Amino acid sequence: MAGRIRREDVEAVRERARIEEIVGAHVQLKTAGVGSMKGLCPFHDERSPSFHVRPQVGRYHCFGCGEGGDVIDFVIKVDGLGFTEAVEYLAGRVGLQLRYEEGGGPGRPAEEPGRRRRLLDAHRVAEEYYREQLTTPGAAAGRAFLAERGFDRSAAEQFGVGFAPTGWDHLLRHLRGRGFTEPELVASGLVSQGQRGVYDRFRGRLVWPIREVTGDTIGFGARRLFDEDSGPKYLNTPETPLYRKSHVLYGLDLAKREMQRARQVVVVEGYTDVMAMHLSGVGTAVATCGTAFGSDHARIVRRLVGDSGASSGIQLATGTSVGGEVIFTFDGDEAGQKAALRAFGEDQTFAAQTFVAVERSGMDPCELRQNRGPDAVRALVAGRQPLFAFVLQTSLRSYDLATAEGRVAALRAVAPVVAGIRDTALRPEYTRLLAGWLGMDDVGPVARAVADAGRRRGPGAAPGRPADRAQPQRPGPADPVLAVERTALEVVLQAPALVPDEFDELGGDAFAAPMHRAVHEAIRAAGGIAAGRASVGADGASTAWVGAVLDEAADAVRPLVTELAVAPIPEDRPEAVAGYVRGIVLRLVEVGFTRQIAELRGRLQRMSEQDEAYRATWAELVALEGRRRTLRESA
């Protein structure tokens, strides 16, 4: 197995991937002064643009919601990818072949140059072929299947539905004709290897393309149509270098934008259910592909709904939530209830509130749309019930609550469920609800049972919220001295080639605000302005310089570094920028001189003129005032 991507390749991706092009595919950017662009933030709703991109430093920052980072961070956030996947995606965009360190920990299997791109191309060609085949006479059964479920031709085109013709090698011959080799096709999972050679994996079936969040097709799900087909009802692509069923969600490429906007995801059980949901106006629906919803799926969803690990509210009476929502839809029968109980095990990976939408008559979303229309589908989602409540009430049905023995047994059974709720604000709420469901007037015994169950679980079972930890305070904008400090740091990060040498003479006490002082310390640790000048490329870009400062900055300071590197500079005339940069830095130096002069004068007032120390302090004061006067003249 190969390990992590080599660091120099990650840096090369950062340098080659033009952030304005990547961001511009999602946000309409307009010029906002010298070297700055802005648009409406893709991470929160706003009417006035507060999202800024500065191509020369390779950074973005939203002054509304605080999101910021480099081009890799943007792809991770907007597309819900992991770090490795984001780097690989960008490398494919810029034509860079990545190298992996051996033995560097978990990663992707080592692949020959261009292999991933070839496999993606094979899937793209296969999807086009399947879609064309859906219009042929041989696909009549497939078209009838769709029509019977209320899906017309435009719906099939919207979701990329196609048809794999009967026969053993139709797709194989088509892909060979497009230049793909047999080893490539076996590795892709599009064909299977038998004793007599290779043959099409999908034959005589409807096929749905399964895509990554970026939109690239990486596999297919296929539904049996003919009685003579002895295979399973649904057949998916096998595990391949591209396709891992525990890491993919059908419909994610179509749902991601609405998921981010609404901070909601609806998890259904099949491809036609996803179609029915989207066509009914529920654009946040996705489905797993041949496996139960697991922890890897949870991580994907958490990145897209913006779940930060904090509690999202406890409005239990109405079923509404403050933060993101994860809604599972299940049939109302016993199997559906068991599926909901399994989902409860994964709920603890979410801080967003998790709900269950159960159709009591047993219809799935596709059947519900057919029989009662889109309004009923939307009503199903709107009538969601908190998952914790569903699990508790489902468990209580197994006991006779009319007897004292039944109530005590039920309490012992479900108290660990309440004790296992990680959100400390939710636990007492469900303790009170549980007492009511058990018919107990006194909540005390229920609270004690929950507490006892929590102690048996051991320490650390229900950690508090990360959001409770104190965060360092940002300096306010009102103080004019702090405004000079901030602007000086902005130009140092954005235009190091124009910054005068005097900046490197500033000591640690040159900045009054602790956060500004921390950024200054990171700049000094990165080598100061001399290192900044050396890192500027021939095109004037200072991406590497900002990256070096970020490497030296503490975690709490890094967001401010990004914000300063992207903030618009007040001077927007190209011919005046150099003078502005020099002027603002010298102004900061002067502020430092003024602060020191005031301190020396105060010291002199407390000293006797006869003291030898007085004369030394006076000489220091005169020298400092001379330096300040010279500085003003040069500025």
Side-chain angles (χ1 to χ4, degrees):
M1 294 288 288
R4 63 177 63 89
I5 302 169
R6 291 188 182 181
R7 179 165 182 168
E8 56 266 34
D9 287 354
V10 174
E11 293 305 320
V13 167
R14 284 195 178 100
E15 292 175 7
R16 293 193 195 182
R18 299 185 64 84
I19 191 168
E20 68 272 26
E21 293 179 359
I22 301 300
V23 173
H26 303 273
V27 179
Q28 184 177 3
L29 295 173
K30 297 182 179 179
T31 301
V34 178
S36 181
M37 310 179 81
K38 68 179 180 180
L40 296 174
C41 180
F43 305 124
H44 81 287
D45 290 330
E46 63 177 6
R47 294 184 178 180
S48 299
S50 57
F51 183 85
H52 288 252
V53 176
R54 191 162 285 273
Q56 281 200 321
V57 299
R59 299 271 155 180
Y60 71 92
H61 182 81
C62 177
F63 292 87
C65 68
E67 285 290 345
D70 60 22
V71 66
I72 298 175
D73 296 321
F74 182 82
V75 171
I76 290 172
K77 179 69 178 178
V78 80
D79 285 329
L81 298 178
F83 178 81
T84 299
E85 289 81 3
V87 174
E88 290 174 338
Y89 167 71
L90 290 171
R93 286 281 302 256
V94 301
L96 178 68
Q97 177 60 40
L98 297 174
R99 297 165 296 172
Y100 297 80
E101 295 176 353
E102 294 297 330
R108 291 186 182 276
E111 294 181 7
E112 59 195 61
R115 181 90 179 281
R116 177 177 170 82
R117 185 70 259 168
R118 289 287 292 173
L119 298 184
L120 288 173
D121 287 344
H123 279 82
R124 176 180 53 79
V125 174
E127 180 182 349
E128 293 171 353
Y129 175 78
Y130 288 144
R131 293 175 70 165
E132 292 172 357
Q133 291 299 308
L134 186 60
T135 63
T136 63
R143 295 193 296 273
F145 176 94
L146 294 172
E148 290 167 2
R149 286 155 181 79
F151 302 125
D152 57 17
R153 181 170 181 175
S154 65
E157 291 175 351
Q158 179 180 342
F159 294 91
V161 184
F163 175 75
T166 55
W168 292 92
D169 61 354
H170 291 290
L171 179 65
L172 173 62
R173 286 188 283 111
H174 180 74
L175 290 172
R176 278 175 174 167
R178 297 292 292 271
F180 293 97
T181 65
E182 191 170 291
E184 288 175 333
L185 298 181
V186 172
S188 72
L190 294 169
V191 302
S192 299
Q193 180 75 54
Q195 292 182 345
R196 298 183 179 180
V198 296
Y199 55 90
D200 292 352
R201 177 175 179 82
F202 306 116
R203 305 179 306 280
R205 289 176 173 250
L206 269 180
V207 290
W208 284 262
I210 300 170
R211 302 182 180 117
E212 288 184 314
V213 71
T214 58
D216 287 325
T217 298
I218 57 174
F220 293 93
R223 210 281 188 188
R224 184 180 61 203
L225 293 173
F226 303 105
D227 294 338
E228 56 268 27
D229 186 340
S230 60
K233 183 177 180 180
Y234 281 96
L235 179 67
N236 289 338
T237 293
E239 297 281 308
T240 71
L242 296 181
Y243 180 88
R244 290 175 290 172
K245 63 184 180 182
S246 63
H247 290 70
V248 296
L249 289 165
Y250 174 71
L252 189 63
D253 59 306
L254 300 173
K256 64 178 181 179
R257 296 285 177 264
E258 184 64 14
M259 286 169 59
Q260 289 172 327
R261 188 199 65 78
R263 295 199 64 203
Q264 178 196 81
V265 60
V266 178
V267 182
V268 298
E269 294 190 321
Y271 306 122
T272 57
D273 291 335
V274 171
M275 294 175 69
M277 281 282 183
H278 281 255
L279 294 172
S280 298
V282 183
T284 58
V286 298
T288 58
C289 301
T291 184
F293 189 90
S295 57
D296 290 321
H297 298 124
R299 280 191 288 271
I300 295 170
V301 167
R302 188 166 58 244
R303 288 198 295 260
L304 284 171
V305 299
D307 183 26
S308 63
S311 172
S312 56
I314 53 172
Q315 296 169 287
L316 303 179
T318 62
T320 58
S321 68
V322 176
E325 294 182 347
V326 180
I327 303 171
F328 293 94
T329 62
F330 299 110
D331 297 342
D333 57 15
E334 184 177 350
Q337 293 179 2
K338 289 181 179 179
L341 293 173
R342 286 197 304 270
F344 169 72
E346 296 300 333
D347 172 65
Q348 297 296 312
T349 66
F350 288 101
Q353 284 201 8
T354 310
F355 296 83
V356 175
V358 177
E359 168 49 45
R360 299 297 178 183
S361 66
M363 287 189 287
D364 59 35
C366 182
E367 295 168 335
L368 191 61
R369 175 176 174 265
Q370 282 180 270
N371 289 275
R372 299 182 190 170
D375 289 345
V377 176
R378 292 192 294 271
L380 171 66
V381 176
R384 65 205 182 283
Q385 177 184 9
L387 179 59
F388 285 135
F390 179 84
V391 169
L392 289 170
Q393 291 175 330
T394 300
S395 301
L396 292 177
R397 293 193 191 106
S398 303
Y399 299 89
D400 182 3
L401 302 183
T403 66
E405 292 80 5
R407 289 192 294 273
V408 170
L411 176 58
R412 288 172 177 167
V414 299
V417 176
V418 179
I421 297 175
R422 293 189 179 188
D423 190 331
T424 54
L426 278 176
R427 248 178 283 151
E429 288 293 318
Y430 273 105
T431 300
R432 285 189 285 272
L433 284 172
L434 177 58
W437 292 332
L438 288 169
M440 296 181 175
D441 295 330
D442 185 3
V443 75
V446 179
R448 287 192 292 273
V450 170
D452 290 343
R455 283 191 289 272
R456 287 193 296 271
R457 287 173 59 87
R465 295 171 289 172
D468 292 338
R469 293 193 290 269
Q471 295 295 320
Q473 294 297 310
R474 296 280 188 97
D479 190 323
V481 174
L482 299 188
V484 171
E485 293 181 4
R486 177 187 172 91
T487 309
L489 291 173
E490 289 172 355
V491 299
V492 167
L493 290 168
Q494 295 180 30
L498 302 177
V499 176
D501 294 333
E502 284 86 349
F503 181 83
D504 276 347
E505 298 176 12
L506 294 172
D509 59 351
F511 293 85
M515 287 290 279
H516 290 166
R517 195 177 307 131
V519 175
H520 179 228
E521 290 171 359
I523 290 172
R524 295 174 70 183
I529 205 63
R533 291 173 184 161
S535 68
V536 175
D539 58 353
S542 53
T543 307
W545 167 234
V546 176
V549 175
L550 282 166
D551 287 342
E552 300 295 341
D555 288 344
V557 181
R558 289 170 64 88
L560 179 57
V561 173
T562 293
E563 180 180 326
L564 295 170
V566 173
I569 297 176
E571 178 54 70
D572 60 359
R573 295 172 298 165
E575 68 277 7
V577 171
Y580 175 82
V581 171
R582 175 175 171 79
I584 196 66
V585 172
L586 293 184
R587 172 66 179 138
L588 175 65
V589 176
E590 181 187 347
V591 168
F593 284 160
T594 301
R595 187 184 298 122
Q596 294 176 53
I597 288 170
E599 183 182 337
L600 289 174
R601 284 177 174 168
R603 195 186 310 169
L604 285 171
Q605 290 177 357
R606 296 188 297 272
M607 298 169 65
S608 170
E609 294 185 12
Q610 311 306 319
D611 292 345
E612 185 174 338
Y614 182 92
R615 290 190 294 272
T617 303
W618 176 261
E620 186 179 351
L621 175 62
V622 171
L624 237 133
E625 287 185 327
R627 291 183 65 187
R628 183 174 67 174
R629 186 168 52 254
T630 302
L631 182 68
R632 284 176 173 174
E633 292 172 354
S634 67

